[in-house]
């Protein structure tokens, strides 16, 4: 089994006024289905009200993320699934619930971690 990251950046979620509650309900329903199916690892979104910091090896803290990298924001779901085809099917369910396309990536697991 592999772990898959299903995600979207905040800007991808363009929801008309009045539909946010339905989107939230639909997204939570998909998460509940994943839990019931035993494939759920975790899900959530980046809290964009809390700015990122970079922490160096000596413990020094600098404001902001990497200046050359795009911002990391949006929603994330991690599922453990037996095949990529199943991951695509779950990503489609999340896309339908969230009203936006989802990016799908597989985690490379380190057997020593």
């Amino acid at each position: 089994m592999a772990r898959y990251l299903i995600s979207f950046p905040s800007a991808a979620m363009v929801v008309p006024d009045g539909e946010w509650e339905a989107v939230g309900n639909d997204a939570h329903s998909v998460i509940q289905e994943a839990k019931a199916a035993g494939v759920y690892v975790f899900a959530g979104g980046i809290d964009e009200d809390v700015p990122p910091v970079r922490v160096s090896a000596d413990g020094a803290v600098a404001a902001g993320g990497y200046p050359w990298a795009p911002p990391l924001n949006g929603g994330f779901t991690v599922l453990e699934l037996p095949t990529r085809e199943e991951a695509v099917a779950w990503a489609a369910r999340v896309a339908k619930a969230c009203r936006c396309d989802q990016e799908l990536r597989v985690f490379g697991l380190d057997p020593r971690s």
Side-chain angles (χ1 to χ4, degrees):
M1 294 255 259
R3 288 189 176 169
Y4 292 88
L5 173 66
I6 301 169
S7 64
F8 62 92
S10 295
M13 219 172 163
V14 180
V15 178
D17 289 340
E19 288 188 34
W20 281 103
E21 185 175 350
V23 170
N25 290 337
D26 291 350
H28 288 116
S29 291
V30 173
I31 294 302
Q32 291 306 315
E33 292 168 16
K35 287 178 178 180
V39 299
Y40 178 85
V41 177
F42 76 89
I46 299 294
D47 186 341
E48 295 178 41
D49 292 330
V50 179
V53 297
R54 285 187 331 277
V55 180
S56 67
D58 66 3
V61 177
Y66 285 103
W68 47 264
L72 180 62
N73 57 33
F76 302 86
T77 303
V78 177
L79 303 178
E80 191 165 46
L81 300 159
T83 67
R84 185 171 181 83
E85 291 76 22
E86 288 186 49
V88 168
W90 278 101
R93 292 168 83 173
V94 173
K96 183 176 181 181
C98 291
R99 302 349 185 239
C100 64
D101 291 349
Q102 302 292 303
E103 295 180 348
L104 178 65
R105 292 179 170 84
V106 65
F107 281 98
L109 296 179
D110 179 349
R112 298 189 323 176
S113 65

